[in-house]
Amino acid sequence: MKTIIIGGSTTGMGVAAKLKRLDEKHEIIVIQDKEYVSLGACGIPYYVGRNFDNPETLIARKVENFEETGIRVLTKKSAHKIDFKNKVINFEDENISYDNLVIAVGAKPITPPIKNIDANNIFTVNSKEDAIVIINAITDQSKVLVIGSGLIGLEMVENIKHATKANIAIIEKADRVLKNLFDEEFSKLVEEEIKNKNIDLYKENEIVEFIKDANNNVCGAKTIKSEIINCDIVILSIGVLPNTKFLKNTELELENNGAIKINEYCETNIPNVYAGGDCCSSLSYLYKNNRTFYLATVANKQAKIIANNINKTKTSKFVGALGTTIIRFFDLELARSGENKMFIETNKIETKEILIKDKDHTNYVKDQTDLWLKIIMDIETKEIINVQMIGKNKSVLRIYGLVGIIWARTKVDEALEQIDLPYSPPFSRTTDIIHIALSKLI
Ligand SMILES: Cc1cc2nc3c(=O)[nH]c(=O)nc-3n(C[C@H](O)[C@H](O)[C@H](O)COP(=O)(O)OP(=O)(O)OC[C@H]3O[C@@H](n4cnc5c(N)ncnc54)[C@H](O)[C@@H]3O)c2cc1C
């Protein structure tokens, strides 16, 4: 049996490693466009924040480590053309045949067609190379403009601020930050933190043109409201899209956003062709709709499922994801899970929601701080379909318990209200914020 994997990172190398463990004799070839594999992209902002000095730390496992186990890795080789009928990948210099194919090409940052976007010092945040050029470009004197206030944009802001004295501004098209993930009350608290850190925030605004100097370096950005924001570094973090341009107009079924359609076994519409991770649309856990999650947690699980199913057809199913996310933004910590407001409203799901502001632990133990929790319940099923938290002192780690409740589809009733949560003065109060919220929901 011979399996070819296109894309050598979380999903691709996850499939390769697991498949080799399951069947030592399985011939595995990975085609990877970079010279390295297994990039831990999640670490990029923290490298820029100088949490560690060596960018190689971003690489979880080296090409040699995989090759030692008998996996062949073809680096700096990009797959552009697949002959699905004859099960062959065509390169200019050679053709490679396969029995099974895994497409794990991930997603790439959106670079909008803004005038002068090709100027120097306009960066995306996606690869080891991006991380290195960003860290080398930013100095204490830099004027950094971060475009987009999603998770990656905010992580970059926090880390640049920690590591340098650079001046930072954020521009966001929506009317508030983190709009896709959190409700208004939470965005407001994050925006207060942005202000406290002396970071300028432009909302309901967008860049229409970059201004560059005689050396082709960016020196400003013009907004749709005709303001000029002075900047010499731009971080583009307005989202990503599946890296599937080369698969358009082939037999492979894609969603409108270019994501590969897969079933619960991570099979595509073409026999023996599997796909997983950021290049796919995947099942949401609660309402079984399809969406692209762009999360390492999803890619990781799908890698195992693909390997299992290649080894023995249809043995593992992907049961869905909740889009559970956690982020630190300076002193604030935020966590969320489940369907967002846009989904709830579009699908006209009747809900009851409760927002509680409480304290994270007892008043007589130092560092007591505010903790916010929102729970949204589907009135028909009595199941929790969304939770959001913001706090400090790692108090939002309560999300782990809440995700367990959602995952088990536990009904919100008197029994759940008595859920046996722990109490000790440095951690919580006798009646925890979760108890208060559940009580109010009932
Ligand atoms: C800055 C940043 C921070 C993040 N933080 C988090 C986080 O905190 N938590 C979380 O859960 N997720 C996070 N993510 C998302 C997470 O990194 C991705 O969900 C995960 O890497 C997806 O894995 P993948 O294998 O599907 O894609 P990728 O990791 O993108 O791997 C795809 C690989 O395929 C290669 N490739 C593409 N096209 C071709 C081709 N035609 N031929 C050959 N090779 C090709 C690419 O170069 C790449 O190496 C973050 C992402 C970024 C960028």
Side-chain angles (χ1 to χ4, degrees):
M1 251 318 166
K2 181 177 175 187
T3 293
I4 295 201
I5 300 166
I6 308 176
S9 202
T10 316
T11 314
M13 298 324 284
V15 175
K18 171 90 182 169
L19 193 53
K20 204 66 188 171
R21 282 200 299 275
L22 289 170
D23 177 7
E24 224 185 309
K25 293 200 185 79
H26 203 111
E27 187 183 351
I28 301 169
I29 302 175
V30 178
I31 298 167
Q32 160 73 336
D33 58 3
K34 306 262 176 358
E35 62 182 341
Y36 52 84
V37 293
S38 294
L39 173 75
C42 316
I44 296 172
Y46 299 90
Y47 169 64
V48 172
R50 297 186 191 274
N51 286 268
F52 51 95
D53 295 327
N54 185 353
E56 294 310 312
T57 310
L58 292 168
I59 307 299
R61 238 178 126 191
K62 294 198 169 80
V63 171
E64 306 88 89
N65 304 135
F66 286 99
E67 290 194 328
E68 277 160 16
T69 68
I71 296 165
R72 233 180 112 198
V73 186
L74 309 179
T75 53
K76 295 203 261 180
K77 210 163 176 90
S78 195
H80 290 304
K81 205 166 162 223
I82 305 169
D83 177 350
F84 289 110
K85 210 163 142 211
N86 295 305
K87 294 184 155 189
V88 171
I89 305 197
N90 308 116
F91 293 101
E92 273 162 31
D93 47 352
E94 67 174 316
N95 295 329
I96 309 180
S97 64
Y98 61 82
D99 299 307
N100 302 293
L101 176 66
V102 179
I103 307 176
V105 288
K108 69 170 185 192
I110 299 170
T111 43
I114 298 174
K115 190 174 170 196
N116 294 332
I117 194 148
D118 59 341
N120 297 329
N121 293 339
I122 299 180
F123 305 115
T124 53
V125 190
N126 191 48
S127 64
K128 188 178 83 174
E129 294 78 8
D130 291 339
I132 294 170
V133 287
I134 293 172
I135 207 168
N136 288 338
I138 299 179
T139 66
D140 286 342
Q141 286 72 44
S142 295
K143 293 189 278 299
V144 182
L145 174 62
V146 176
I147 307 186
S149 67
L151 292 179
I152 294 177
L154 292 188
E155 281 186 336
M156 289 301 287
V157 167
E158 190 211 55
N159 278 289
I160 293 168
K161 192 85 182 166
H162 271 309
T164 69
K165 294 192 179 78
N167 193 287
I168 307 175
I170 308 171
I171 185 158
E172 168 57 60
K173 197 172 176 178
D175 57 345
R176 57 188 180 84
V177 302
L178 291 173
K179 189 166 182 171
N180 292 334
L181 294 168
F182 290 91
D183 289 353
E184 258 177 277
E185 305 87 345
F186 295 78
S187 300
K188 212 169 142 222
L189 293 169
V190 175
E191 287 170 14
E192 276 169 23
E193 186 74 351
I194 290 173
K195 203 169 162 204
N196 291 342
K197 300 293 172 193
N198 294 320
I199 294 163
D200 293 326
L201 173 63
Y202 299 79
K203 292 188 287 183
E204 293 181 89
N205 209 333
E206 55 188 295
I207 301 301
V208 289
E209 180 182 345
F210 292 109
I211 301 156
K212 51 186 187 178
D213 64 17
N215 299 318
N216 201 39
N217 294 326
V218 68
C219 58
K222 189 174 168 189
T223 72
I224 203 161
K225 298 175 184 170
S226 293
E227 303 132 305
I228 303 290
I229 304 174
N230 289 326
C231 57
D232 47 27
I233 305 274
V234 173
I235 306 288
L236 262 182
S237 47
I238 60 168
V240 294
L241 278 175
N243 219 340
T244 53
K245 207 168 157 196
F246 73 110
L247 296 165
K248 273 189 187 143
N249 306 319
T250 67
E251 304 95 294
L252 198 70
E253 279 180 17
L254 305 179
E255 307 276 3
N256 289 340
N257 70 346
I260 302 168
K261 290 188 186 179
I262 52 171
N263 64 14
E264 56 209 324
Y265 302 103
C266 295
E267 295 167 327
T268 68
N269 63 307
I270 300 176
N272 302 103
V273 179
Y274 298 80
D278 283 10
C279 62
C280 295
S281 65
S282 302
L283 205 62
S284 88
Y285 183 77
L286 288 170
Y287 293 95
K288 307 296 176 203
N289 56 308
N290 277 328
R291 91 167 63 124
T292 316
F293 285 97
Y294 305 118
L295 284 171
T297 46
V298 173
N300 235 333
K301 285 166 203 146
Q302 291 183 336
K304 284 193 195 119
I305 288 163
I306 294 171
N308 284 338
N309 291 337
I310 289 176
N311 188 51
K312 205 158 170 261
T313 315
K314 296 197 196 302
T315 42
S316 285
K317 273 187 189 180
F318 182 68
V319 296
L322 291 168
T324 308
T325 314
I326 191 160
I327 181 182
R328 184 187 70 195
F329 186 64
F330 297 103
D331 294 335
L332 295 179
E333 293 151 2
L334 293 103
R336 55 91 56 211
S337 187
E339 302 297 350
N340 68 9
K341 269 282 164 66
M342 214 194 318
F343 177 86
I344 291 169
E345 281 164 16
T346 315
N347 290 280
K348 300 192 171 48
I349 300 166
E350 238 193 297
T351 58
K352 183 170 178 186
E353 68 175 53
I354 200 85
L355 175 70
I356 306 289
K357 181 187 175 195
D358 197 47
K359 298 288 177 189
D360 66 330
H361 62 252
T362 41
N363 59 334
Y364 50 80
V365 173
K366 71 175 168 70
D367 295 334
Q368 187 199 47
T369 61
D370 291 342
L371 177 60
W372 299 74
L373 168 64
K374 181 178 262 194
I375 299 185
I376 306 180
M377 177 183 81
D378 181 325
I379 290 182
E380 196 188 320
T381 62
K382 297 263 180 301
E383 290 170 11
I384 295 174
I385 59 168
N386 176 286
V387 289
Q388 299 167 56
M389 300 197 81
I390 188 164
K392 294 179 181 175
N393 303 332
K394 302 209 166 37
S395 55
V396 302
L397 291 181
R398 283 167 171 82
I399 194 91
Y400 285 87
L402 292 164
V403 169
I405 293 174
I406 301 179
W407 201 254
R409 294 181 176 279
T410 315
K411 301 247 177 274
V412 177
D413 58 14
E414 271 95 34
L416 185 65
E417 195 187 350
Q418 291 178 37
I419 188 169
D420 193 3
L421 300 172
Y423 161 63
S424 165
F427 297 103
S428 52
R429 308 211 289 171
T430 31
T431 307
D432 189 68
I433 191 166
I434 294 178
H435 283 129
I436 300 171
L438 290 173
S439 264
K440 297 233 158 145
L441 267 181
I442 291 163

